[in-house]
């Protein structure tokens, strides 16, 4: 009888993982950035997906073409199932975005390069940071808070 209650939860988790794994992951990064590769490895490991990487010295063009607000820019940009992922966004928040598909959201961003965010690990040192959801209309909302 107890197992009956776990079945819907397991189906829900399987659907979430399936949505994240079915999406395509294309990352744009500067050839001189080391943390970008560490972040891509975090995504590959946490979501278990292949990440294609495009190396370009013109990251400003990539960000402008995809509508990333300038004050949210970081070192790399990823396109996942049509969403823009800017900077060191934790994989769990990408999965959540793909699961929830919030109306009008263009993407997620972690501005700058906060210490302790995925790809920016430095031992026990961490900085608090937020994952910002930015919308087509220019508005924003805090999607997640860390630290």
């Amino acid at each position: 009888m107890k197992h009956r209650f776990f079945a819907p939860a397991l189906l829900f988790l399987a659907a979430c993982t399936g949505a994240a794994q079915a999406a395509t992951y294309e990352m744009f990064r500067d050839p001189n950035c080391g943390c970008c590769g560490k972040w891509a490895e975090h995504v590959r490991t946490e979501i278990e997906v292949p990440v294609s990487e495009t190396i370009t010295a013109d990251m400003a063009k990539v960000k402008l073409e995809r509508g990333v607000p300038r004050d949210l820019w970081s070192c790399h940009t990823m396109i996942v199932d049509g969403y823009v992922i800017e900077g060191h966004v934790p994989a769990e928040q990408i999965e959540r975005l793909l699961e929830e598909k919030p109306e009008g959201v263009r993407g997620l961003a972690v501005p700058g390069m906060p210490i302790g965010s995925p790809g920016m690990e430095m031992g026990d040192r961490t900085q608090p940071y937020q994952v910002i959801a930015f919308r087509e209309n220019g508005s924003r909302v805090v999607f997640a808070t860390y630290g």
Side-chain angles (χ1 to χ4, degrees), residues 105-124:
V105 169
R106 180 159 183 76
L108 300 177
V110 170
M113 299 167 69
I115 295 171
S117 62
M120 290 297 298
E121 294 89 353
M122 295 184 177
D124 293 338

Side-chain angles (χ1 to χ4, degrees), residues 45-144:
T45 302
E46 294 296 316
I47 304 178
E48 299 179 6
V49 294
V51 175
S52 67
E53 293 185 33
T54 301
I55 309 296
T56 178
D58 195 356
M59 287 302 298
K61 180 180 178 185
V62 169
K63 295 166 190 322
L64 291 171
E65 287 177 347
R66 285 152 182 86
V68 180
R70 284 185 185 260
D71 63 319
L72 297 181
W73 285 13
S74 184
C75 55
H76 53 265
T77 304
M78 180 179 275
I79 308 303
V80 179
D81 207 26
Y83 291 104
V84 180
I85 307 299
E86 179 67 19
H88 295 266
V89 175
E92 68 185 346
Q93 299 308 324
I94 298 170
E95 289 179 297
R96 179 178 158 211
L97 175 70
L98 295 174
E99 171 198 329
E100 295 178 5
K101 298 188 183 294
E103 189 173 336
V105 169
R106 180 159 183 76
L108 300 177
V110 170
M113 299 167 69
I115 295 171
S117 62
M120 290 297 298
E121 294 89 353
M122 295 184 177
D124 293 338
R125 295 181 52 207
T126 61
Q127 293 176 308
Y129 67 94
Q130 295 178 324
V131 178
I132 307 297
F134 56 97
R135 296 189 175 108
E136 299 284 345
N137 67 9
S139 67
R140 302 149 189 222
V141 64
V142 174
F143 197 72

